[in-house]
Amino acid sequence: MRKNRWVFTLIVFSLLLLAACGESNDSSHKENADHDKSNDTPLKVVIDPGHGGVDVGATGVSGQHEKDFTLNVSKKVEKLLEQEPNIQVFMTRVDDQFISQESRHRPNYANEIEADLFISIHGNTFSDPNVSGTETFYYHKHSQHFAEIMQKHVVDATGFRDRGALKKDLFVVKDTKMPAALIEIGYLTNPQDESDMWDEDFQNRVADAIVEGIKEYQDRAL
Ligand SMILES: [Zn+2]
């Protein structure tokens, strides 16, 4: 008699447990359905070619300007992103246009269109020509993961020293509301970095890496 009651209790308990599992399965399915829905909404990505116009940025060892390097790479990224059905690309400039820092146009533009990601492209500079490498800057905590993914992909493409993804108070990554990263591809003041950076194949590889980084972040965020 006692044994029967125990078996009965066990069966009831098992049934309750099954019901509970079934419920949580249902809710996870619902969650997946929601994710599928958000998958249809393209990711809005702003590409920001650093500097422009009278703001030439860094002047490299060869005398070429950072503003042209950033525009070259950005346009390659733009072209690649245009082929991605789930990504919508926006540029802060498409030619040699000067954008004043005071206007805060770069972050304001990204905030106004409610972009999902913001990527500013730059070339670095330092007084010591021996300093080289790739680094990515972010400001807000919600940008750190994105910056780390971008750094990983870009440093793989450049083959330069990995200087890491670091927090830095830069207005383009501070004033933007969405995850934002500023990538310093390499040092234009380092002769080896610079000669690579003006190479067409190198720029294509970097553009590919930036797109791969965006897609990895997009996949993880879903
Ligand atoms: Zn710069």
Side-chain angles (χ1 to χ4, degrees):
M1 184 62 195
R2 208 179 242 185
K3 197 185 169 194
N4 280 348
R5 195 188 286 170
W6 188 82
V7 169
F8 176 75
T9 310
L10 195 71
I11 290 170
V12 169
F13 181 74
S14 304
L15 284 172
L16 283 171
L17 198 69
L18 274 172
C21 287
E23 218 168 273
S24 74
N25 271 344
D26 279 355
S27 66
S28 72
H29 282 148
K30 197 167 162 252
E31 217 169 278
N32 284 339
D34 286 348
H35 283 169
D36 287 346
K37 224 181 282 166
S38 70
N39 219 357
D40 294 340
T41 315
L43 194 80
K44 287 185 185 174
V45 179
V46 171
I47 301 297
D48 174 42
H51 312 280
V54 290
D55 170 17
V56 300
T59 300
V61 190
S62 66
Q64 296 177 90
H65 293 139
E66 181 188 352
K67 64 172 185 175
D68 299 317
F69 167 76
T70 64
L71 189 61
N72 284 0
V73 174
S74 298
K75 280 186 162 177
K76 289 177 189 300
V77 175
E78 181 192 25
K79 265 201 183 127
L80 291 171
L81 289 180
E82 278 169 353
Q83 292 160 27
E84 294 293 330
N86 294 325
I87 295 174
Q88 236 182 320
V89 60
F90 299 85
M91 303 280 283
T92 56
R93 69 178 177 99
V94 290
D95 53 23
D96 189 21
Q97 184 199 342
F98 170 70
I99 301 173
S100 87
Q101 194 166 319
E102 289 72 36
S103 73
R104 293 290 193 265
H105 168 73
R106 297 172 202 264
N108 287 347
Y109 173 67
N111 292 337
E112 271 161 28
I113 64 162
E114 297 183 330
D116 297 298
L117 291 174
F118 177 92
I119 300 164
S120 193
I121 296 172
H122 286 255
N124 223 333
T125 173
F126 196 65
S127 51
D128 180 352
N130 292 312
V131 173
S132 66
T134 301
E135 58 201 315
T136 301
F137 296 114
Y138 67 93
Y139 184 78
H140 298 288
K141 186 75 190 153
H142 67 239
S143 297
Q144 185 179 354
H145 183 51
F146 175 55
E148 283 167 358
I149 290 176
M150 296 312 294
Q151 171 68 12
K152 181 187 74 178
H153 282 273
V154 174
V155 85
D156 266 0
T158 62
F160 295 165
R161 192 157 85 84
D162 186 354
R163 303 179 66 92
L166 309 159
K167 180 175 174 169
K168 196 172 183 181
D169 189 350
L170 299 164
F171 83 94
V172 288
V173 288
K174 190 180 184 181
D175 293 356
T176 32
K177 291 176 183 160
M178 67 295 309
L182 184 150
I183 310 169
E184 299 276 8
I185 311 290
Y187 277 78
L188 291 163
T189 42
N190 175 273
Q192 188 54 58
D193 276 14
E194 202 228 13
S195 86
D196 285 350
M197 285 163 82
W198 288 106
D199 179 76
E200 183 87 19
D201 289 341
F202 176 93
Q203 292 181 2
N204 284 328
R205 278 207 309 279
V206 168
D208 273 335
I210 290 170
V211 172
E212 286 311 309
I214 294 167
K215 284 161 76 176
E216 182 182 331
Y217 182 82
Q218 184 181 30
D219 289 346
R220 285 193 185 191
L222 283 175

